[in-house]
Amino acid sequence: MISSITPVAIPARNAKELTVKQLKHLKNPYMVYQLDATAYPGNSGSPVYHPATGSVIAIVNKVLLKSTKESALTNPSDITYAIPVKHLQQLIKRTALN
């Protein structure tokens, strides 16, 4: 289930940690799907299907970690992020042109 559509942003603990590159990225971020689902190491790259049509709408990309990478197995957050297929299609087109 898609619980939200959220911008990709790298958090900073305070304003001093923000870089010019991060600020520019925040002005025009790309949106990803936040899923209420548990993904484990090795699930990245898995398809996310539209329940009615069966078409692939996104690809699992990362999970929210509560603490360390190792905790993803023992104490998962149940929050997973997936990249919408349209972003992947654009990347494939750009790669093919080069």
Side-chain angles (χ1 to χ4, degrees), residues 62-75:
K62 61 184 171 183
V63 298
L64 177 68
L65 295 175
K66 290 182 179 179
S67 58
T68 65
K69 289 181 183 181
E70 292 77 18
S71 72
L73 292 173
T74 58
N75 191 16

Side-chain angles (χ1 to χ4, degrees), residues 34-83:
Q34 179 182 323
L35 311 174
D36 286 339
T38 302
Y40 295 99
N43 291 145
S44 294
S46 297
V48 176
Y49 297 98
H50 188 286
T53 65
S55 61
V56 176
I57 59 169
I59 303 296
V60 171
N61 174 254
K62 61 184 171 183
V63 298
L64 177 68
L65 295 175
K66 290 182 179 179
S67 58
T68 65
K69 289 181 183 181
E70 292 77 18
S71 72
L73 292 173
T74 58
N75 191 16
S77 69
D78 299 329
I79 297 176
T80 299
Y81 297 97
I83 299 173

Side-chain angles (χ1 to χ4, degrees), residues 8-9 18-30:
V8 171
L18 288 173
T19 66
V20 172
K21 183 178 178 180
Q22 287 173 314
L23 291 171
K24 285 180 182 179
H25 181 73
L26 288 172
K27 282 187 168 187
N28 190 22
Y30 69 91

